[in-house]
Amino acid sequence: MPRPTPAQLAYGSATVVCTTFALLLLSQARSALWVGVIAVAGLLLGLLVAVTGPFARATRAPHAPRGSRTVRTNRPRTGTPAHASAETAGVGEHSFHG
């Protein structure tokens, strides 16, 4: 089992604190037994959040790497390289680069 990342530890810890605090406020537990049950429930939920973090990302469809999209245009290919100078690339044309 791989070690959890700092982000996973942060999410798990935040889940433990928030869940335990919210359950204690909502249940208004007065006995030590119920406080212990709520604390254990918060720890288990935080552990679940920390452990299932990488699996949730792994089930998503893989994305194509940035910059790999092909842009289709109606203009014929001119044969000039993409790094051509401004004089040969047509200075007055519209630029999509900003």
Side-chain angles (χ1 to χ4, degrees), residues 69-73:
R69 291 185 285 165
T70 304
V71 178
R72 296 182 184 253
T73 62

Side-chain angles (χ1 to χ4, degrees), residues 76-82 84:
R77 295 184 68 140
T78 59
T80 58

Side-chain angles (χ1 to χ4, degrees), residues 6-90:
Q8 288 173 296
L9 292 174
Y11 286 137
S13 300
T15 302
V16 168
V17 171
C18 293
T19 302
T20 305
F21 187 67
L23 286 174
L24 285 172
L25 285 177
L26 292 174
S27 69
Q28 297 178 357
R30 302 276 185 232
S31 68
L33 177 68
W34 283 113
V35 171
V37 168
I38 290 172
V40 169
L43 283 172
L44 289 175
L45 187 61
L47 181 65
L48 181 72
V49 167
V51 170
T52 59
F55 298 120
R57 277 185 265 129
T59 58
R60 294 182 191 158
H63 297 288
R66 290 183 181 251
S68 66
R69 291 185 285 165
T70 304
V71 178
R72 296 182 184 253
T73 62
N74 291 331
R75 291 188 282 165
R77 295 184 68 140
T78 59
T80 58
H83 60 278
S85 65
E87 295 87 26
T88 60

